[in-house]
Amino acid sequence: MIQENVPTILQEFVQPRVINQDMLINLVIEQGPKGEAGKLFYEDDILKIDYLWVMPNLIELKLSNNIIEKIENLDALVNLKELDLSFNRIKTMENLNHLTNLEILLLFNNEISEIENINDLNNLTIFSIGNNIVTDSKHVLYLRKFKKLRSLNINGNPCTKEDGYLDYVFAFIPQLIYYEYKMITNEQRKNAREKH
């Protein structure tokens, strides 16, 4: 016997079962956004970040491998701890400063030329901005102030080809433990300090 107060989509699942992918997809279709929001929600590639105000308690957001060009509409996500916008078309780091709980920021493989506008991300621990177009190494001094920063990946940017770049990073961001996901050795740190 099916209970009347059970939503239609769940009626076939009233018997105890393990949640499976089909059940989740059906729930999203029935209870997901409607109208224009629904169209954007169900497209294969996400063009724009929007309609996230309905999830203020979200702590992890992965929007990698899309065609997003602008970081926007994240204001309501004050509890967010991890944001992955890798493999998109983002040109500018913007609209991130209010995400003060953010610990992991992944912007790998975009079109970003400057590391900026994250002054208030004091909890930032892991930052990946490899394969972008950052040319100026002034970001090293900018990143120095993030005292909890432990892992940095900036490989594949023009700035990393400068002579002595790695020594500069190791000397001026001493709190780093990992660079390109490899542990920084004591010898690398010592050499960097001697040069700077």
Side-chain angles (χ1 to χ4, degrees), residues 17-33:
R17 300 175 66 168
V18 174
I19 295 174
N20 61 31
Q21 186 171 357
D22 290 336
M23 181 180 177
L24 291 174
I25 289 170
N26 289 332
L27 284 169
V28 167
I29 289 169
E30 183 171 291
Q31 297 179 16

Side-chain angles (χ1 to χ4, degrees), residues 59-76:
I59 58 169
E60 185 177 313
L61 179 60
K62 295 187 178 197
L63 293 172
S64 60
N65 295 293
N66 285 291
I67 47 179
I68 298 168
E69 295 181 355
K70 185 174 173 74
I71 302 172
E72 60 186 344
N73 300 317
L74 298 174
D75 300 347

Side-chain angles (χ1 to χ4, degrees), residues 20-173:
N20 61 31
Q21 186 171 357
D22 290 336
M23 181 180 177
L24 291 174
I25 289 170
N26 289 332
L27 284 169
V28 167
I29 289 169
E30 183 171 291
Q31 297 179 16
K34 308 292 185 237
E36 184 65 25
K39 287 179 194 170
L40 289 173
F41 187 81
Y42 299 116
E43 283 184 5
D44 289 334
D45 290 320
I46 297 172
L47 305 169
K48 182 179 179 183
I49 303 170
D50 210 348
Y51 304 101
L52 295 175
W53 51 269
V54 296
M55 297 181 266
N57 295 322
L58 196 66
I59 58 169
E60 185 177 313
L61 179 60
K62 295 187 178 197
L63 293 172
S64 60
N65 295 293
N66 285 291
I67 47 179
I68 298 168
E69 295 181 355
K70 185 174 173 74
I71 302 172
E72 60 186 344
N73 300 317
L74 298 174
D75 300 347
L77 305 182
V78 294
N79 296 305
L80 201 63
K81 291 187 176 193
E82 180 176 346
L83 177 61
D84 185 356
L85 292 170
S86 300
F87 296 94
N88 277 288
R89 297 180 185 168
I90 298 165
K91 291 178 175 39
T92 306
M93 290 178 63
E94 59 189 340
N95 301 314
L96 293 167
N97 246 346
H98 63 283
L99 302 175
T100 56
N101 289 312
L102 202 63
E103 296 172 4
I104 301 171
L105 178 57
L106 309 175
L107 296 169
F108 189 85
N109 207 75
N110 277 283
E111 300 167 15
I112 298 168
S113 60
E114 190 169 344
I115 298 173
E116 60 185 347
N117 300 320
I118 56 171
N119 296 341
D120 295 333
L121 304 187
N122 296 323
N123 291 309
L124 191 62
T125 306
I126 299 171
F127 182 42
S128 176
I129 191 157
N131 282 7
N132 277 275
I133 52 174
V134 178
T135 54
D136 195 332
S137 57
K138 68 181 179 183
H139 62 270
V140 173
L141 295 178
Y142 180 71
L143 292 174
R144 182 180 191 170
K145 67 179 164 186
F146 297 97
K147 300 302 180 196
K148 293 184 179 179
L149 186 63
R150 298 297 180 260
S151 179
L152 174 66
N153 179 20
I154 194 164
N155 189 36
N157 283 278
C159 62
T160 62
K161 293 177 176 45
E162 294 175 17
D163 282 341
Y165 175 79
L166 272 184
D167 289 327
Y168 187 56
V169 169
F170 298 159
F172 288 100
I173 312 178

